[in-house]
Amino acid sequence: MRCVSIRPGSPQRPPPRPGGRTRRLGIVALMLVASVVGGLSADIVTAPPAAAHATLVATTPGESARLAAAPREVTLQFSEGVSLGAGFVRVLSVEGRRLDADAATVDGAVITVPMRDDVPEGSYVVTYRVVSADAHPISGGYAFVVGDGELVSAVEAAAGQDTDPLVAALLPLARWLGFTGVALAIGVPVFLLVCWPSGWAVPRMQRLTSVGLTGIVVGGAATFLLQGPYTAGTGLGSVFDPLLLEATAASLFGVAVIARVVVAVMLAMLLQLAWDWGEAPSAPVVASFAFMASEVVATTAAAGHPAAGPLPGLAVAVAAVHVAAMAVWLGGLIALLVGVLRTGAAVHDLHSVLPRFSVLAFGAVVALALTGLVQAVREVGALSALVSTTYGRLLMAKLVVVLCLLGVAGVSRAWVQRHLGTARRRPPSRRVTAHAFAAVGGEAVGDEVPDPQVDVPATAGVDDIRSLCGSVLLEVAIGAVVLVASAFLVGTPPARSALSQAVDVTVPLQSDAGATTGSVRISVAPAEPGQNALDVYLFDEVGGLVQPRGIRVTLTEAEQEVGPLDVELVRRGPGHLAGSGFSIPGPGTWALTVIVRLDEFTAASASTDIRVR
């Protein structure tokens, strides 16, 4: 490896630049446009709060309901506000014929689908694919029966709604490209401003920053195009579908992605001024860079889980600090490796750069750790979710990789402290003339001897620098793996939402002889350990609410040999009873059984499983 020696010294400021007034006007214009985009970003951050990820909590008609007459409409209620976007809600016959009359309407968390008037008796399937506030699609389906038809299974109802495999593979790649672009586009200039001002004259630093800005633009464009097929459940053939593009552009997620791409283009124009000057930029340029860089990290943080949870403003701010710290650390590492640690550089050149970056990187790591902890608590919710959910397992894998990264970073930091931490800055090279007096002829003989404060030779410490290069290179490689894990985490529903899956089902009441004597609708929310809301609705054979002569509800966890536990009920209305102080003891698969005595001689029962994590 060869290194270029960067000799210390104060460069002379060049004469006034031509076209300075035009450049200043250009900066002002860029700032005005960036301010408009910043306003859009603020709208995203201050959007009304929503839960971390929407789940279906209730339907009308209920799942497996048997109705005497066709309903006039079908409603789906979710745990938070949703949008149809590029998704759909359809009511289909067994033959696949559409029975919904007009387009579905959305009112907050409730979607209503009007039905046609000529719906015959038979089994019908409701399928849905809607978009949660965190930009993830929610899909599923259920069935109900009109008249005496045979009920279609819920598995058949929800079949065929998975995300296209190629779309699912390309989306994390696009996110990774965007994250890497943010690290380079922000981390490299920050490294130059704080640690290596003379690096603004190094063409390699300009190329690194340009690669990062290109990554933001290309990754953002790819994410925007793929979001439509992702939410609609279609393939790559629909990436340019006008309806899908319009739906994505109208969403908060789409606005955030567009804003990020626009700011990246303006940032490229701004930084070009610094590259043209070949030196550290002026204060107005630095201020403009800070403003635009903050918008890039804010829109990156807003396009995902933080914008969908409670207190979105605070959550996005925490996530933005996390993204910024990542960019400063990883982008600075790449700039250090590519721009400074090149073989042949005089060791004294590292005295100013490495200690500064060591302090900067330490601060970034502390910010990453604190904000990462806050995000984990918010998105996971319970320790059990770390091993019982996909999000939790991905988070644990990322944590292991980050710990490895911190270990390697510790090796690099130890090298800096050992070699440069207490070293004093050496002055520029100079020669000192020492006069020695000889007895020959009594003449003074002048001779030059090296000053003890002279620069270290260019080859000194090369082996040590190579060891530092190796550890920094390993840091960069592990950092790339961390970004891959982050790209998958962003596309995975948070663990907290997987922990609480509210139950709302309608199951038939079966008599001891096996005859169906009506149905019971069971609603349990939020289906978590501890206090829950329980509602029980009893229906007769024709779908009317009926008051039983007696009813008993029990809760059993067979695997843990718990129960049956009797549930105390209170009457809320005709055919409607609710749990009084209903509590689920802990995680497990709990069987909730309803035993109904319709008259003196007839009893029937129904049961459903409640999975509690």
Side-chain angles (χ1 to χ4, degrees):
M1 295 185 352
R2 282 194 72 247
C3 218
V4 177
S5 176
I6 304 171
R7 296 292 174 184
S10 300
Q12 296 297 319
R13 193 158 188 85
R17 308 178 184 96
R21 180 179 178 84
T22 303
R23 293 178 186 272
R24 288 193 294 271
L25 290 176
I27 294 174
V28 172
L30 290 174
M31 286 294 293
L32 289 174
V33 178
S35 299
V36 175
V37 178
L40 295 176
S41 303
D43 289 340
I44 299 170
V45 173
T46 57
H53 189 74
T55 55
L56 184 66
V57 297
T59 63
T60 304
E63 182 178 354
S64 305
R66 187 175 293 274
L67 309 176
R72 301 185 62 177
E73 63 183 22
V74 171
T75 61
L76 289 78
Q77 182 178 351
F78 294 86
S79 59
E80 65 164 73
V82 295
S83 63
L84 280 174
F88 57 83
V89 177
R90 300 168 183 155
V91 183
L92 307 172
S93 67
V94 177
E95 298 80 15
R97 187 166 63 96
R98 295 280 298 270
L99 276 303
D100 43 298
D102 296 308
T105 59
V106 182
D107 183 12
V110 178
I111 297 181
T112 303
V113 185
M115 295 285 290
R116 292 169 49 178
D117 296 330
D118 56 342
V119 177
E121 292 188 355
S123 185
Y124 297 97
V125 173
V126 180
T127 64
Y128 61 89
R129 190 177 181 92
V130 298
V131 184
S132 178
D134 59 4
H136 296 313
I138 311 129
S139 61
Y142 72 97
F144 66 91
V145 180
V146 177
D148 297 325
E150 181 180 355
L151 183 68
V152 177
S153 70
V155 175
E156 295 179 18
Q161 297 193 57
D162 294 334
T163 302
D164 180 81
L166 194 53
V167 172
L170 289 177
L171 260 177
L173 179 60
R175 297 189 194 107
W176 178 86
L177 184 60
F179 292 159
T180 304
V182 171
L184 291 174
I186 295 177
V188 173
V190 170
F191 176 83
L192 298 179
L193 289 170
V194 177
C195 307
W196 194 27
S198 59
W200 289 97
V202 178
R204 191 174 296 184
M205 295 296 96
Q206 179 180 2
R207 290 195 292 269
L208 271 180
T209 307
S210 298
V211 168
L213 291 166
T214 302
I216 295 177
V217 173
V218 175
T223 302
F224 184 89
L225 292 175
L226 291 170
Q227 181 67 13
Y230 174 57
T231 56
T234 57
L236 287 180
S238 60
V239 291
F240 295 108
D241 187 321
L243 294 178
L244 297 186
L245 293 176
E246 181 182 356
T248 302
S251 66
L252 291 178
F253 174 86
V255 172
V257 174
I258 293 173
R260 183 163 69 248
V261 170
V262 171
V263 174
V265 173
M266 292 190 297
L267 193 55
M269 298 169 63
L270 177 71
L271 290 176
Q272 188 60 47
L273 300 177
W275 304 128
D276 290 344
W277 292 336
E279 61 177 38
S282 61
V285 175
V286 173
S288 301
F289 167 77
F291 180 71
M292 295 182 190
S294 65
E295 288 189 350
V296 170
V297 297
T299 51
T300 302
H305 300 148
L311 299 175
L314 177 62
V316 171
V318 170
V321 173
H322 194 77
V323 172
M326 174 276 298
V328 169
W329 187 18
L330 293 184
L333 280 173
I334 296 173
L336 176 66
L337 179 66
V338 174
V340 179
L341 298 179
R342 292 171 293 172
T343 311
V347 175
H348 71 79
D349 291 332
L350 303 177
H351 279 244
S352 62
V353 176
L354 286 178
R356 291 176 184 176
F357 180 69
S358 181
V359 174
L360 181 66
F362 180 77
V365 169
V366 171
L368 277 171
L370 293 178
T371 54
L373 178 62
V374 173
Q375 288 180 300
V377 171
R378 181 176 181 271
E379 303 296 348
V380 174
L383 290 177
S384 61
L386 291 174
V387 294
S388 61
T389 65
T390 301
Y391 186 94
R393 290 188 289 269
L394 277 173
L395 184 61
M396 290 293 289
K398 178 182 176 180
L399 179 61
V400 171
V401 178
V402 169
L403 290 177
C404 294
L405 179 57
L406 291 176
V408 179
V411 173
S412 302
R413 183 172 174 82
W415 189 99
V416 173
Q417 291 179 334
R418 184 170 63 252
H419 292 79
L420 306 172
T422 58
R424 58 191 178 91
R425 189 182 302 275
R426 293 181 174 86
S429 300
R430 67 180 185 271
R431 307 292 293 184
V432 178
T433 301
H435 297 277
F437 294 91
V440 181
E443 294 180 357
V445 180
D447 192 12
E448 290 186 344
V449 296
D451 178 20
Q453 297 294 326
V454 76
D455 288 342
V456 181
T459 57
V462 168
D463 291 339
D464 284 334
I465 294 176
R466 285 179 175 173
S467 67
L468 178 62
C469 284
S471 63
V472 173
L473 178 60
L474 187 56
E475 282 187 73
V476 171
I478 299 176
V481 177
V482 172
L483 293 183
V484 171
S486 300
F488 280 98
L489 272 175
V490 169
T492 304
R496 183 185 293 273
S497 65
L499 284 175
S500 56
Q501 296 286 348
V503 174
D504 186 81
V505 296
T506 301
V507 291
L509 282 168
Q510 302 286 339
S511 66
D512 296 337
T516 300
T517 59
S519 60
V520 56
R521 177 178 173 179
I522 303 170
S523 297
V524 179
E528 295 178 347
Q531 292 292 322
N532 286 259
L534 169 65
D535 290 278
V536 178
Y537 300 86
L538 298 174
F539 301 94
D540 56 21
E541 292 89 340
V542 296
L545 289 168
V546 59
Q547 187 66 31
R549 296 191 61 176
I551 183 171
R552 180 189 180 200
V553 176
T554 63
L555 198 60
T556 306
E557 218 298 343
E559 185 174 344
Q560 302 178 29
E561 298 183 354
V562 178
L565 307 174
D566 285 309
V567 177
E568 183 179 351
L569 299 174
V570 294
R571 183 175 176 180
R572 298 295 189 192
H576 178 199
L577 300 103
S580 176
F582 175 62
S583 179
I584 300 178
T589 301
W590 295 87
L592 192 146
T593 303
V594 180
I595 304 171
V596 178
R597 181 164 294 281
L598 299 175
D599 54 44
E600 186 177 354
F601 305 101
T602 306
S605 63
S607 181
T608 188
D609 287 339
I610 304 173
R611 292 177 176 82
V612 180
R613 297 177 177 176

